């Protein structure tokens, strides 16, 4: 096992009658990109803010870089970077001025050029903040989070509201962070993002961690495959196969025995002269596994 950057045991948080975090354990090692996932209200923000030192806990042990974040020590703050969902940066400063201002707050800042290169803003260095696109502003938020050369970076929903190409750009930026050896704790609502970036993922539901593994491990642990196809109106697949219609209007069948069920399905189609358009058999995606683990719960429901 590598060196633990974050270690959490039995963490609890109550807000009056609501128990938002119910005794979770976590271990995140140096150099890992770790994604914390879960539906709205699962307790992710509460957990992350306790780790950041922005909220108190009701119980359990927490160690971040060997410190207790509850003690609010400057030495810990100098070694962590936090990128919140909304940051208010000065609109009339340039990119370079903004990053330099934040570098000035730390004893051992990362060189300006290195920061701009990692976040991909070298070409915008003299541009004013207010002229940046949404995606570029978010990169600047990350640049500011990196200013003090932190060992650990908290990234809260780094690509929410991005168009697909800006998202890809942000992903390559996060991969660059990995090459710098930074440990990253990422929260995101995008399952493909976690699948693409995270070394390990924890899924939180109602204050508890219900699964924790590599993205590939989570998917592999679920033996099921999905068969998807289209059938002409009125054609009804054989009884005994649990076929459902998806929101996209496809027919979908989840199965632990794809060989048998595919045989039953194609046998029926051949016999009935039905074309199964767009027939695919695939493993579950991380999103499928997530939806299964988090169930059909009302995500806003109180824990
Ligand atoms: P989201 O994905 O929507 O950001 P989350 O997983 O981050 O959700 P939290 O914000 O940690 O969830 O909230 C967990 C639970 O604690 C929710 O039921 C929420 O209503 C409750 N909660 C959060 N903050 C407070 C607070 N300051 N006072 C009272 N209840 C709170």
């Amino acid at each position: 096992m590598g060196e633990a950057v974050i270690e959490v045991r039995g963490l609890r948080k109550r807000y009056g009658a609501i128990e938002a975090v119910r005794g979770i354990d976590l271990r995140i090692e140096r150099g890992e990109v770790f994604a914390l996932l879960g539906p709205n209200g699962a307790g992710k923000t509460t957990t992350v803010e306790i780790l950041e030192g922005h909220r108190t806990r009701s119980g359990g042990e927490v160690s971040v870089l060997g410190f207790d974040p509850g003690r609010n020590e400057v030495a810990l703050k100098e070694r962590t970077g936090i990128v919140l969902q909304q940051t208010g940066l000065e609109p009339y400063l340039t990119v370079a001025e903004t990053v330099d201002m934040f570098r000035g707050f730390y004893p051992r800042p990362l060189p300006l050029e290195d920061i701009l290169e990692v976040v991909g803003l070298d070409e915008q260095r003299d541009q004013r903040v207010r002229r940046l696109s949404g995606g570029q502003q978010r990169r600047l938020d990350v640049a500011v989070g990196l200013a003090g050369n932190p060992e650990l970076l908290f990234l809260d929903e780094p690509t929410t509201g991005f168009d697909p190409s800006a998202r890809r750009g942000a992903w390559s930026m996060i991969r660059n962070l990995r090459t710098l050896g930074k440990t990253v704790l990422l929260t995101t609502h995008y399952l493909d993002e976690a699948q693409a970036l995270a070394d390990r993922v924890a899924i939180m539901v109602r204050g508890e961690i219900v699964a924790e593994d590599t993205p590939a491990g989570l998917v592999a642990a679920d033996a099921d495959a999905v068969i998807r196809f289209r059938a002409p109106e009125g054609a009804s697949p054989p009884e005994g196969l649990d076929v459902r219609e998806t929101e996209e209007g496809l027919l979908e069948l989840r199965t632990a025995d794809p060989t048998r069920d595919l045989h039953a399905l194609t046998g029926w189609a051949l016999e009935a002269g039905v074309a199964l358009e767009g027939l695919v058999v695939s493993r579950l995606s991380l999103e499928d596994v997530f939806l299964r683990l988090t169930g059909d719960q009302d995500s806003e429901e109180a824990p």
Side-chain angles (χ1 to χ4, degrees):
M1 254 198 273
E3 179 199 347
V5 167
I6 293 180
E7 209 157 15
V8 169
R9 276 194 226 105
L11 177 64
R12 294 186 177 276
K13 176 68 179 179
R14 283 195 155 280
Y15 299 108
I18 296 177
E19 192 167 24
V21 179
R22 305 174 169 204
I24 65 166
D25 299 330
L26 270 182
R27 181 187 160 89
I28 302 176
E29 292 181 3
R30 187 169 293 277
E32 273 195 303
V33 176
F34 190 95
L36 189 58
L37 308 175
N40 292 132
K44 305 178 298 290
T45 307
T46 300
T47 303
V48 171
E49 292 195 353
I50 290 170
L51 297 175
E52 292 169 350
H54 290 155
R55 282 194 211 197
T56 57
R57 60 185 186 266
S58 312
E61 289 166 38
V62 179
S63 163
V64 177
L65 293 163
F67 293 85
D68 177 347
R71 291 176 189 253
N72 232 343
E73 286 166 87
V74 175
L76 174 59
K77 296 201 184 304
E78 284 175 2
R79 291 169 62 187
T80 52
I82 298 176
V83 184
L84 300 172
Q85 274 183 56
Q86 268 148 9
T87 46
L89 295 175
E90 192 51 59
Y92 291 98
L93 291 184
T94 65
V95 166
E97 286 165 351
T98 305
V99 177
D100 261 338
M101 182 176 83
F102 282 88
R103 290 178 65 249
F105 299 152
Y106 293 92
R108 286 170 297 279
L110 207 58
L112 174 66
E113 304 308 324
D114 292 5
I115 298 175
L116 295 180
E117 192 186 328
V118 167
V119 302
L121 284 178
D122 343 39
E123 284 174 23
Q124 287 76 27
R125 58 176 299 146
D126 296 320
Q127 203 157 317
R128 296 201 190 279
V129 171
R130 69 192 184 103
R131 298 247 180 255
L132 297 176
S133 72
Q136 289 167 342
Q137 289 199 8
R138 205 76 186 99
R139 284 156 182 267
L140 183 57
D141 293 338
V142 175
V144 164
L146 280 175
N149 196 11
E151 290 163 58
L152 168 65
L153 195 66
F154 293 98
L155 278 183
D156 190 11
E157 296 186 26
T159 66
T160 296
F162 279 24
D163 69 37
S165 78
R167 281 184 79 211
R168 297 290 157 161
W171 289 7
S172 76
M173 172 184 73
I174 294 167
R175 292 199 180 100
N176 288 343
L177 294 175
R178 188 208 301 272
T179 62
L180 285 181
K182 306 293 178 203
T183 307
V184 178
L185 176 54
L186 171 79
T187 57
T188 178
H189 283 122
Y190 299 114
L191 281 299
D192 57 343
E193 184 159 301
Q195 192 151 16
L197 296 176
D199 297 301
R200 283 191 307 131
V201 168
I203 297 179
M204 221 174 156
V205 180
R206 296 175 201 230
E208 292 181 275
I209 290 178
V210 295
E212 186 183 339
D213 204 338
T214 60
L218 280 179
V219 171
D222 201 312
D224 285 9
V226 205
I227 301 171
R228 294 192 177 100
F229 57 97
R230 279 181 208 283
E233 198 120 337
S236 50
E239 299 216 345
L241 292 182
D242 186 16
V243 177
R244 294 157 201 231
E245 189 165 344
T246 67
E247 280 175 19
E248 298 83 37
L250 287 170
L251 294 176
E252 179 183 287
L253 165 62
R254 292 208 176 168
T255 171
D257 191 348
T259 313
R260 186 197 59 201
D261 288 350
L262 198 57
H263 182 74
L265 183 70
T266 53
W268 159 77
L270 285 173
E271 220 159 83
V274 167
L276 300 179
E277 271 178 48
L279 176 66
V280 280
V281 184
S282 52
R283 290 216 80 115
L284 293 187
S285 66
L286 186 58
E287 182 154 353
D288 295 320
V289 173
F290 176 88
L291 289 172
R292 171 176 298 195
L293 286 169
T294 57
D296 297 324
Q297 63 156 325
D298 176 352
S299 60
E300 293 295 340
E301 200 178 305

